[in-house]
Amino acid sequence: MQATDWNKTNLPPLALLWRYGGWWRWLIVALILIGGGVTLRQPALGLGLLVCAAALAWFFRNPSRAVAADPMSVISPVDGVVDDLAITDGSPWIQGEALRIGIFLSVLDVHATRAPIMGTVREVLSTPGTHRNAISPKAGATNQRNEIRLSDSAGRSVILRQIAGAIARRVVFAPQPGDAVQAGAVVGMIRFGSRAELWLPVSTGYVAAVWHGERVRSGISVLARV
């Protein structure tokens, strides 16, 4: 896959649904066709089906963002609320202490995942697990998840973790190891409510730029700086 595929920070209106919607996109099409067909005979049922289709399509929205491009900053990969901010260890690929920033996404948030830095995808690890409520920071160690290691031009590593939840049964990260990504590029999504985490090695100088409880927006909010 060419690196240019991951340079796009904004996609056409239905591109997120088409790329990462899976069988949900066909369900939406079916609801539209069935709803349109029964509206004349059973208006209430037909309208209900069309409303369900519109609600599902709205979930896969991907609003345009003016990405905060700064090589010394790490931007938020998702929309949501910072509910975990700690110095810890235990992340794959990081030796020693790491700054962990956890973000909880509700079902009402935009669920596109954006690259937190400009750099190269080094490793992608998909780990099976449970599907407990992702509102707890502990879900990152037990739930199904993708763990992605990226590095910037200076060799600094950033670990992105996409975590499935009780409703979000699938987390998708499209780039492969060796692919170059632009900061803010749409690289995947978490379907329905769940959480994301960033792990940043303290030894390379990363410090938090957000507060616990702060609402962040993907591609715009700066989470940490060198």
Side-chain angles (χ1 to χ4, degrees):
M1 189 167 291
Q2 296 179 355
T4 53
D5 288 346
W6 312 114
N7 289 340
K8 297 178 180 178
T9 55
N10 293 302
L11 301 176
L14 296 178
L16 193 71
L17 174 61
W18 181 252
R19 287 188 180 187
Y20 307 121
W23 63 269
W24 288 95
R25 59 193 177 194
W26 306 119
L27 175 61
I28 292 171
V29 171
L31 288 172
I32 293 173
L33 294 175
I34 296 172
V38 303
T39 297
L40 294 178
R41 290 175 296 173
Q42 300 184 48
L45 176 59
L47 181 59
L49 294 175
L50 292 175
V51 169
C52 289
L56 287 173
W58 177 81
F59 172 80
F60 287 92
R61 69 198 184 282
N62 184 41
S64 297
R65 299 281 167 86
V67 173
D70 179 356
M72 303 300 286
S73 298
V74 178
I75 58 177
S76 181
V78 294
D79 286 16
V81 175
V82 176
D83 68 347
D84 183 30
L85 191 60
I87 301 295
T88 184
D89 54 19
S91 170
W93 309 305
I94 292 181
Q95 298 294 325
E97 293 184 329
L99 170 64
R100 186 182 67 208
I101 303 174
I103 303 168
F104 176 72
L105 298 79
S106 76
V107 293
L108 300 179
D109 286 313
V110 175
H111 278 60
T113 299
R114 295 175 180 267
I117 62 169
M118 180 175 67
T120 303
V121 177
R122 299 300 181 186
E123 298 178 76
V124 179
L125 177 64
S126 297
T127 303
T130 61
H131 289 90
R132 297 175 180 173
N133 193 335
I135 196 170
S136 171
K138 296 181 180 179
T142 59
N143 282 18
Q144 177 189 344
R145 58 197 180 275
N146 287 335
E147 295 178 323
I148 304 104
R149 182 171 73 90
L150 305 101
S151 65
D152 62 15
S153 59
R156 290 182 292 260
S157 291
V158 170
I159 311 302
L160 169 63
R161 179 181 278 177
Q162 298 172 298
I163 304 163
I167 300 176
R169 314 298 289 191
R170 179 94 189 274
V171 287
V172 181
F173 185 81
Q176 300 297 313
D179 286 348
V181 295
Q182 176 69 34
V186 178
V187 292
M189 75 172 299
I190 304 173
R191 293 181 191 158
F192 302 98
S194 196
R195 68 183 296 108
E197 291 178 353
L198 284 174
W199 295 64
L200 312 171
V202 173
S203 61
T204 54
Y206 284 114
V207 293
V210 289
W211 298 97
H212 190 281
E214 184 174 342
R215 173 161 286 279
V216 294
R217 299 176 70 194
S218 65
I220 295 177
S221 302
V222 175
L223 299 185
R225 292 187 175 90
V226 178

